[in-house]
Amino acid sequence: MYSIPIDFSYVGSVHSHPSGNTRPSDADLHMFSNTGQIHIIVGYPYDLKNYSAYNRAGTPVKLDII
């Protein structure tokens, strides 16, 4: 995160968890609180059934990917 340029147009983040667990870690929650409004975690096997979206407080939100 420290090497990402400051850009106030960011709306959130997307990253993966190879374990398949799509719940945010403590580090994820810290990042969420500092960047954007919506954050997506994709878990193995990285398909449209294995993702979760969260707001910057770490509360799950419904987000349909089309």
Coordinates of all heavy atoms in Angstrom, one line a residue:
M1 N 0.8 -1.2 0.0 CA 0.0 0.0 0.0 C 0.9 1.3 0.0 O 0.4 2.3 -0.5 CB -0.9 0.0 1.2 CG -2.1 -1.0 1.2 SD -3.2 -0.7 -0.2 CE -3.8 0.9 0.1
Y2 N 2.0 1.2 0.6 CA 2.9 2.4 0.7 C 3.4 2.9 -0.6 O 3.8 4.0 -0.7 CB 4.0 2.2 1.7 CG 3.4 1.9 3.1 CD1 3.5 0.6 3.6 CD2 2.7 2.8 3.8 CE1 3.0 0.3 4.9 CE2 2.2 2.5 5.1 CZ 2.3 1.3 5.6 OH 1.8 1.0 6.8
S3 N 3.5 2.0 -1.6 CA 4.0 2.4 -2.9 C 3.0 2.8 -3.9 O 3.3 3.2 -5.0 CB 4.9 1.2 -3.5 OG 4.0 0.1 -3.7
I4 N 1.7 2.7 -3.5 CA 0.6 3.2 -4.4 C 0.5 4.7 -4.3 O 0.4 5.3 -3.2 CB -0.7 2.5 -4.0 CG1 -0.7 1.0 -4.1 CG2 -1.9 3.1 -4.8 CD1 -1.9 0.3 -3.6
P5 N 0.5 5.3 -5.5 CA 0.4 6.8 -5.5 C -1.0 7.2 -4.9 O -2.0 6.5 -5.0 CB 0.4 7.2 -6.9 CG 0.6 5.9 -7.7 CD 0.5 4.8 -6.8
I6 N -1.0 8.4 -4.3 CA -2.2 9.0 -3.7 C -3.1 9.4 -4.9 O -2.7 10.1 -5.8 CB -1.9 10.2 -2.8 CG1 -1.2 9.7 -1.6 CG2 -3.2 10.9 -2.4 CD1 -0.7 10.9 -0.7
D7 N -4.3 8.9 -4.9 CA -5.3 9.2 -6.0 C -6.7 9.1 -5.4 O -7.2 8.1 -5.1 CB -5.1 8.2 -7.1 CG -6.0 8.5 -8.3 OD1 -7.0 9.2 -8.2 OD2 -5.7 7.9 -9.4
F8 N -7.3 10.3 -5.2 CA -8.6 10.4 -4.6 C -9.7 9.8 -5.4 O -10.9 9.9 -5.0 CB -8.8 11.8 -4.1 CG -7.9 12.2 -3.0 CD1 -6.9 13.1 -3.3 CD2 -7.9 11.6 -1.8 CE1 -5.9 13.5 -2.3 CE2 -7.0 12.0 -0.8 CZ -6.0 12.9 -1.0
S9 N -9.4 9.4 -6.6 CA -10.5 8.8 -7.5 C -10.7 7.3 -7.2 O -11.6 6.7 -7.8 CB -10.2 9.0 -9.0 OG -9.0 8.3 -9.4
Y10 N -9.8 6.7 -6.4 CA -10.0 5.3 -6.1 C -11.4 5.1 -5.4 O -11.8 5.9 -4.5 CB -9.0 4.8 -5.1 CG -7.6 4.7 -5.6 CD1 -6.5 4.9 -4.8 CD2 -7.3 4.4 -7.0 CE1 -5.2 4.8 -5.3 CE2 -6.0 4.3 -7.5 CZ -5.0 4.5 -6.6 OH -3.7 4.5 -7.1
V11 N -12.1 4.0 -5.8 CA -13.4 3.8 -5.2 C -13.3 2.6 -4.2 O -14.2 2.3 -3.5 CB -14.5 3.5 -6.2 CG1 -14.7 4.8 -7.0 CG2 -14.2 2.4 -7.1
G12 N -12.2 1.8 -4.2 CA -12.0 0.7 -3.4 C -10.9 -0.2 -3.8 O -9.9 0.3 -4.4
S13 N -11.0 -1.5 -3.4 CA -9.9 -2.4 -3.7 C -10.4 -3.7 -4.1 O -11.5 -4.1 -3.7 CB -8.9 -2.4 -2.6 OG -9.5 -3.1 -1.5
V14 N -9.6 -4.5 -4.7 CA -9.9 -5.9 -5.0 C -8.6 -6.7 -4.7 O -7.5 -6.3 -5.2 CB -10.3 -6.2 -6.4 CG1 -10.5 -7.7 -6.7 CG2 -11.6 -5.4 -6.8
H15 N -8.7 -7.7 -3.9 CA -7.5 -8.6 -3.7 C -8.0 -10.0 -3.5 O -9.2 -10.3 -3.3 CB -6.6 -8.1 -2.7 CG -7.1 -8.2 -1.3 ND1 -7.9 -7.4 -0.7 CD2 -6.8 -9.2 -0.3 CE1 -8.2 -7.8 0.6 NE2 -7.5 -8.9 0.8
S16 N -7.0 -11.0 -3.5 CA -7.4 -12.4 -3.3 C -6.9 -13.0 -2.0 O -5.9 -12.5 -1.4 CB -6.9 -13.2 -4.5 OG -5.5 -13.2 -4.5
H17 N -7.5 -14.0 -1.6 CA -7.1 -14.8 -0.4 C -7.0 -16.3 -1.0 O -8.0 -16.9 -1.2 CB -8.1 -14.8 0.7 CG -8.1 -13.6 1.5 ND1 -8.9 -13.4 2.6 CD2 -7.4 -12.4 1.4 CE1 -8.7 -12.2 3.2 NE2 -7.8 -11.6 2.4
P18 N -5.8 -16.8 -1.1 CA -5.6 -18.1 -1.7 C -6.2 -19.2 -0.9 O -6.5 -20.3 -1.4 CB -4.0 -18.3 -1.7 CG -3.5 -16.9 -1.7 CD -4.5 -16.1 -0.9
S19 N -6.4 -19.0 0.4 CA -7.0 -20.0 1.3 C -8.5 -20.2 0.9 O -9.1 -21.2 1.3 CB -7.0 -19.5 2.8 OG -7.9 -18.4 2.9
G20 N -9.1 -19.3 0.2 CA -10.5 -19.4 -0.1 C -11.4 -18.7 0.9 O -12.6 -18.4 0.6
N21 N -10.9 -18.3 2.0 CA -11.6 -17.5 3.0 C -11.7 -16.1 2.6 O -10.7 -15.4 2.4 CB -10.9 -17.6 4.3 CG -11.5 -16.8 5.5 OD1 -12.5 -16.1 5.3 ND2 -11.0 -17.0 6.7
T22 N -12.9 -15.6 2.4 CA -13.1 -14.2 1.9 C -13.5 -13.2 3.0 O -13.9 -12.1 2.7 CB -14.2 -14.2 0.8 OG1 -15.5 -14.6 1.4 CG2 -13.9 -15.0 -0.4
R23 N -13.3 -13.6 4.3 CA -13.4 -12.6 5.4 C -12.2 -11.8 5.5 O -11.1 -12.3 5.3 CB -13.7 -13.4 6.7 CG -15.1 -14.0 6.7 CD -15.3 -14.8 8.0 NE -14.3 -15.8 8.0 CZ -14.3 -16.9 8.7 NH1 -15.3 -17.2 9.5 NH2 -13.4 -17.9 8.6
P24 N -12.4 -10.5 5.8 CA -11.2 -9.6 5.9 C -10.4 -9.9 7.2 O -10.9 -10.2 8.2 CB -11.8 -8.2 6.0 CG -13.2 -8.4 6.5 CD -13.6 -9.8 6.0
S25 N -9.1 -9.8 7.0 CA -8.1 -9.9 8.1 C -8.1 -8.6 8.8 O -8.6 -7.6 8.3 CB -6.8 -10.3 7.6 OG -6.2 -9.3 6.8
D26 N -7.3 -8.5 9.9 CA -7.1 -7.2 10.6 C -6.4 -6.3 9.7 O -6.7 -5.1 9.7 CB -6.4 -7.4 11.9 CG -7.2 -8.1 13.0 OD1 -8.4 -8.2 12.9 OD2 -6.6 -8.7 13.9
A27 N -5.4 -6.8 8.9 CA -4.7 -5.9 8.0 C -5.6 -5.4 6.9 O -5.6 -4.2 6.5 CB -3.5 -6.6 7.4
D28 N -6.5 -6.2 6.4 CA -7.5 -5.8 5.4 C -8.4 -4.7 6.0 O -8.6 -3.7 5.3 CB -8.4 -7.0 5.0 CG -7.7 -8.0 4.2 OD1 -6.7 -7.7 3.6 OD2 -8.2 -9.2 4.2
L29 N -8.9 -4.9 7.2 CA -9.8 -3.9 7.8 C -9.1 -2.5 8.0 O -9.7 -1.5 7.7 CB -10.3 -4.4 9.2 CG -11.2 -5.6 9.1 CD1 -11.5 -6.1 10.5 CD2 -12.5 -5.2 8.4
H30 N -7.8 -2.6 8.3 CA -7.0 -1.3 8.4 C -6.9 -0.7 7.0 O -7.1 0.5 6.9 CB -5.6 -1.6 9.0 CG -4.8 -0.4 9.1 ND1 -5.0 0.6 10.0 CD2 -3.7 0.0 8.3 CE1 -4.1 1.5 9.8 NE2 -3.3 1.2 8.8
M31 N -6.6 -1.4 6.0 CA -6.5 -0.9 4.7 C -7.9 -0.3 4.2 O -8.0 0.8 3.7 CB -6.1 -1.9 3.6 CG -5.9 -1.4 2.2 SD -5.8 -2.6 1.0 CE -7.3 -3.5 1.1
F32 N -9.0 -1.1 4.5 CA -10.3 -0.6 4.1 C -10.6 0.7 4.6 O -11.2 1.6 4.0 CB -11.4 -1.6 4.6 CG -11.4 -3.0 4.0 CD1 -12.3 -3.9 4.4 CD2 -10.5 -3.3 2.9 CE1 -12.4 -5.2 3.9 CE2 -10.6 -4.6 2.4 CZ -11.5 -5.5 2.9
S33 N -10.2 0.9 5.9 CA -10.6 2.2 6.6 C -9.8 3.4 6.0 O -10.2 4.5 6.2 CB -10.3 2.1 8.1 OG -8.9 2.0 8.3
N34 N -8.8 3.1 5.2 CA -8.0 4.2 4.6 C -8.2 4.4 3.1 O -7.6 5.3 2.6 CB -6.5 4.0 5.0 CG -6.2 4.1 6.4 OD1 -6.6 5.0 7.1 ND2 -5.6 3.1 7.0
T35 N -8.9 3.5 2.5 CA -8.9 3.6 1.0 C -10.3 3.2 0.5 O -10.8 2.1 0.8 CB -8.0 2.6 0.4 OG1 -8.2 1.3 0.8 CG2 -6.5 2.9 0.6
G36 N -10.9 4.1 -0.2 CA -12.2 3.8 -0.9 C -13.4 3.4 -0.1 O -13.3 3.3 1.1
Q37 N -14.5 3.2 -0.8 CA -15.7 2.8 -0.1 C -16.1 1.4 -0.2 O -16.8 0.9 0.7 CB -16.9 3.7 -0.7 CG -16.7 5.2 -0.6 CD -16.7 5.6 0.9 OE1 -17.5 5.1 1.7 NE2 -15.8 6.4 1.3
I38 N -15.7 0.7 -1.2 CA -16.1 -0.7 -1.4 C -14.8 -1.6 -1.7 O -13.9 -1.2 -2.4 CB -17.0 -0.9 -2.7 CG1 -18.3 -0.2 -2.4 CG2 -17.3 -2.4 -3.0 CD1 -19.2 -0.8 -1.3
H39 N -14.7 -2.7 -1.0 CA -13.6 -3.6 -1.1 C -14.0 -5.0 -1.4 O -15.0 -5.5 -0.7 CB -12.8 -3.5 0.2 CG -12.3 -2.1 0.5 ND1 -11.3 -1.5 -0.1 CD2 -12.9 -1.1 1.2 CE1 -11.2 -0.3 0.3 NE2 -12.2 0.0 1.1
I40 N -13.4 -5.7 -2.3 CA -13.8 -7.0 -2.7 C -12.6 -8.0 -2.4 O -11.5 -7.7 -2.7 CB -14.1 -7.1 -4.2 CG1 -15.3 -6.2 -4.5 CG2 -14.4 -8.5 -4.6 CD1 -15.5 -6.0 -6.0
I41 N -12.9 -9.1 -1.8 CA -12.0 -10.2 -1.5 C -12.5 -11.4 -2.3 O -13.6 -11.8 -2.1 CB -11.8 -10.5 0.0 CG1 -11.4 -9.3 0.8 CG2 -10.9 -11.7 0.2 CD1 -11.3 -9.5 2.3
V42 N -11.6 -11.9 -3.2 CA -11.9 -13.1 -4.0 C -11.1 -14.2 -3.4 O -9.9 -14.1 -3.1 CB -11.5 -12.8 -5.4 CG1 -11.9 -14.0 -6.3 CG2 -12.1 -11.6 -6.0
G43 N -11.8 -15.4 -3.2 CA -11.2 -16.5 -2.6 C -11.0 -17.6 -3.7 O -11.8 -17.7 -4.6
Y44 N -10.0 -18.5 -3.4 CA -9.9 -19.7 -4.3 C -11.2 -20.4 -4.4 O -11.8 -20.6 -3.4 CB -8.7 -20.5 -3.7 CG -8.5 -21.7 -4.6 CD1 -7.6 -21.6 -5.7 CD2 -9.1 -23.0 -4.3 CE1 -7.4 -22.7 -6.5 CE2 -8.8 -24.1 -5.1 CZ -8.0 -23.9 -6.2 OH -7.7 -25.0 -7.0
P45 N -11.6 -20.9 -5.5 CA -11.0 -21.0 -6.9 C -11.2 -19.8 -7.8 O -11.1 -19.9 -9.0 CB -11.6 -22.2 -7.5 CG -13.0 -22.2 -6.9 CD -12.9 -21.6 -5.5
Y46 N -11.4 -18.6 -7.2 CA -11.4 -17.3 -7.9 C -12.4 -17.3 -9.0 O -12.2 -17.0 -10.2 CB -10.0 -17.0 -8.5 CG -8.9 -17.2 -7.6 CD1 -7.9 -18.2 -7.8 CD2 -8.8 -16.4 -6.4 CE1 -6.9 -18.3 -6.8 CE2 -7.8 -16.6 -5.5 CZ -6.8 -17.5 -5.7 OH -5.8 -17.7 -4.8
D47 N -13.7 -17.6 -8.7 CA -14.8 -17.5 -9.6 C -15.9 -16.6 -9.1 O -15.7 -16.0 -8.0 CB -15.3 -18.9 -10.0 CG -15.8 -19.7 -8.8 OD1 -16.2 -19.1 -7.8 OD2 -15.9 -20.9 -8.9
L48 N -17.0 -16.5 -9.8 CA -18.0 -15.5 -9.4 C -18.8 -16.0 -8.2 O -19.7 -15.3 -7.7 CB -19.0 -15.3 -10.6 CG -18.3 -14.5 -11.7 CD1 -19.3 -14.3 -12.9 CD2 -17.9 -13.1 -11.2
K49 N -18.5 -17.2 -7.7 CA -19.2 -17.7 -6.5 C -18.4 -17.5 -5.2 O -18.9 -17.7 -4.1 CB -19.5 -19.2 -6.6 CG -20.5 -19.5 -7.7 CD -20.8 -20.9 -7.9 CE -21.7 -21.2 -9.0 NZ -21.8 -22.7 -9.2
N50 N -17.1 -17.1 -5.4 CA -16.2 -17.0 -4.2 C -15.7 -15.6 -4.0 O -14.5 -15.4 -4.2 CB -15.1 -18.1 -4.4 CG -15.6 -19.5 -4.4 OD1 -16.1 -19.9 -3.3 ND2 -15.5 -20.2 -5.5
Y51 N -16.5 -14.7 -3.7 CA -16.1 -13.3 -3.4 C -17.0 -12.7 -2.4 O -18.2 -13.2 -2.3 CB -16.0 -12.5 -4.7 CG -17.4 -12.0 -5.2 CD1 -17.9 -10.8 -4.8 CD2 -18.2 -12.8 -6.0 CE1 -19.2 -10.4 -5.2 CE2 -19.4 -12.4 -6.5 CZ -19.9 -11.2 -6.0 OH -21.1 -10.8 -6.5
S52 N -16.5 -11.8 -1.7 CA -17.3 -11.0 -0.7 C -16.9 -9.5 -0.9 O -15.8 -9.2 -1.2 CB -17.0 -11.5 0.7 OG -17.4 -12.8 0.9
A53 N -17.9 -8.7 -0.6 CA -17.7 -7.2 -0.7 C -18.0 -6.6 0.7 O -18.8 -7.1 1.4 CB -18.6 -6.6 -1.8
Y54 N -17.2 -5.6 1.0 CA -17.3 -5.0 2.3 C -17.2 -3.4 2.1 O -16.6 -2.9 1.2 CB -16.1 -5.4 3.2 CG -16.1 -6.9 3.4 CD1 -15.3 -7.7 2.5 CD2 -16.8 -7.5 4.4 CE1 -15.3 -9.1 2.7 CE2 -16.8 -8.9 4.6 CZ -16.1 -9.7 3.7 OH -16.1 -11.0 3.9
N55 N -17.8 -2.7 3.1 CA -17.6 -1.3 3.1 C -16.4 -1.0 3.9 O -15.7 -1.9 4.3 CB -18.9 -0.6 3.7 CG -19.1 -0.9 5.1 OD1 -18.2 -1.4 5.9 ND2 -20.3 -0.6 5.6
R56 N -16.0 0.3 4.0 CA -14.8 0.7 4.7 C -14.7 0.3 6.1 O -13.6 0.3 6.7 CB -14.4 2.1 4.4 CG -15.4 3.1 4.8 CD -15.0 4.5 4.4 NE -13.6 4.9 4.8 CZ -12.8 5.7 4.2 NH1 -13.2 6.2 3.1 NH2 -11.6 5.9 4.7
A57 N -15.9 0.0 6.8 CA -15.9 -0.4 8.2 C -15.7 -1.9 8.3 O -15.7 -2.5 9.4 CB -17.2 0.0 8.8
G58 N -15.7 -2.7 7.1 CA -15.6 -4.1 7.2 C -17.0 -4.8 7.3 O -17.0 -6.0 7.4
T59 N -18.0 -4.1 7.1 CA -19.4 -4.7 7.1 C -19.7 -5.2 5.7 O -19.5 -4.5 4.7 CB -20.4 -3.6 7.5 OG1 -20.1 -3.0 8.7 CG2 -21.8 -4.2 7.5
P60 N -20.2 -6.5 5.6 CA -20.5 -7.1 4.3 C -21.5 -6.2 3.6 O -22.5 -5.7 4.2 CB -21.0 -8.5 4.7 CG -20.5 -8.8 6.0 CD -20.4 -7.4 6.7
V61 N -21.4 -6.1 2.3 CA -22.4 -5.4 1.5 C -22.7 -6.3 0.3 O -21.8 -7.0 -0.2 CB -21.9 -4.0 1.0 CG1 -21.7 -3.1 2.2 CG2 -20.6 -4.1 0.2
K62 N -23.9 -6.2 -0.2 CA -24.3 -6.9 -1.4 C -23.8 -6.2 -2.6 O -24.0 -5.0 -2.8 CB -25.8 -7.0 -1.5 CG -26.3 -7.8 -2.7 CD -27.8 -8.1 -2.6 CE -28.3 -8.8 -3.9 NZ -27.5 -9.8 -4.5
L63 N -23.0 -6.9 -3.4 CA -22.4 -6.3 -4.7 C -22.5 -7.3 -5.7 O -21.9 -8.4 -5.7 CB -21.0 -5.9 -4.4 CG -20.3 -5.2 -5.6 CD1 -20.9 -3.8 -5.9 CD2 -18.8 -5.2 -5.4
D64 N -23.4 -7.1 -6.7 CA -23.5 -8.0 -7.9 C -22.5 -7.7 -8.9 O -22.3 -6.5 -9.3 CB -24.9 -7.9 -8.5 CG -26.0 -8.4 -7.5 OD1 -25.7 -9.4 -6.8 OD2 -27.1 -7.9 -7.5
I65 N -21.8 -8.7 -9.4 CA -20.8 -8.5 -10.4 C -21.4 -9.0 -11.7 O -21.9 -10.1 -11.8 CB -19.5 -9.3 -10.2 CG1 -18.8 -8.7 -8.9 CG2 -18.5 -9.2 -11.3 CD1 -17.6 -9.4 -8.5
I66 N -21.5 -8.1 -12.7 CA -22.1 -8.5 -14.0 C -21.2 -8.5 -15.1 O -20.1 -7.9 -15.1 CB -23.3 -7.5 -14.3 CG1 -22.8 -6.1 -14.3 CG2 -24.4 -7.7 -13.3 CD1 -23.9 -5.1 -14.8

